[in-house]
Amino acid sequence: MSEPVPTVLPLEVIDKAIGTEVHVLLTNDKEFKGKLIGFDDFVNIVLEDVTEYDNDTANDGKIKKMLLNGGQISMIVPSV
Amino acid sequence: MSEDKVKTGPSVFLSEILGQQVKVKLNNGVTYLGNLNSIDGYMNIVMDSTSEHVNGEDFVKTYGDVFIRGNNVLYISQV
């Protein structure tokens, strides 16, 4: 009752990052960097102009637009 | 604002790429390139004119119609 209620929900943080560059870290040592277009309640996310990283090395060739399965995502980092 | 979010979310992307050439990467690293016929909320996918690639580029096999169970899908992208 007297405990302060959190004012920023996790999904709001992702929502604020829409339209900006984000890093997405997966559970399997993969990483994606791209512009966040959208997401849903499962945190499946749509990215644009994406670079895919495997163990910190970038795969050649950008992906124009992609839907990334939320089940593999461990962390989303809005770029600083 | 939440309306905009819905409009740019996964379901819109999926309707955009229906019928187009797509790349589907699975959790085990195998990649399938093909023409997207159908996809549902589980990311179950049906493609035709499909080619299977292991280790990113190496061509392995071609298939006609392919059904991929959604739990294996890491991502689906435009090519």
Side-chain angles (χ1 to χ4, degrees):
Chain A
M1 184 78 176
S2 61
E3 285 295 308
V5 178
T7 53
V8 182
L9 299 167
L11 292 187
E12 288 179 20
V13 177
I14 310 176
D15 191 65
K16 279 183 197 157
I18 283 181
T20 68
E21 281 278 297
V22 294
H23 284 257
V24 182
L25 283 68
L26 307 189
T27 53
N28 51 9
D29 294 330
K30 277 192 203 302
E31 185 178 340
F32 293 88
K33 185 183 79 177
K35 183 179 165 191
L36 180 62
I37 301 301
F39 66 98
D40 62 15
D41 288 346
F42 304 110
V43 199
N44 300 315
I45 64 179
V46 182
L47 293 173
E48 200 174 68
D49 298 325
V50 187
T51 312
E52 179 180 356
Y53 299 87
D54 251 315
N55 295 308
D56 284 343
T57 54
N59 291 5
D60 44 325
K62 278 199 169 183
I63 298 164
K64 198 174 149 203
K65 211 170 181 190
M66 69 183 302
L67 171 61
L68 187 59
N69 192 341
Q72 328 295 332
I73 293 173
S74 67
M75 181 157 66
I76 300 170
V77 186
S79 295
V80 284
Chain B
M1 180 162 143
S2 60
E3 283 299 313
D4 288 344
K5 188 169 67 184
V6 170
K7 276 176 190 154
T8 54
S11 57
V12 175
F13 174 70
L14 292 179
S15 57
E16 276 174 19
I17 62 171
L18 266 185
Q20 293 184 12
Q21 281 289 115
V22 296
K23 178 168 87 173
V24 176
K25 189 160 188 171
L26 307 189
N27 291 323
N28 62 15
V30 180
T31 303
Y32 294 89
L33 283 163
N35 184 41
L36 181 63
N37 280 344
S38 178
I39 185 166
D40 66 14
Y42 297 107
M43 285 202 200
N44 295 321
I45 289 168
V46 179
M47 297 193 291
D48 61 38
S49 313
T50 311
S51 60
E52 180 185 68
H53 303 258
V54 182
N55 301 324
E57 303 305 324
D58 301 331
F59 172 81
V60 179
K61 265 182 174 178
T62 58
Y63 300 101
D65 290 333
V66 166
F67 171 84
I68 299 171
R69 191 172 142 86
N71 65 310
N72 300 292
V73 175
L74 174 64
Y75 68 73
I76 176 167
S77 71
Q78 292 176 321
V79 289

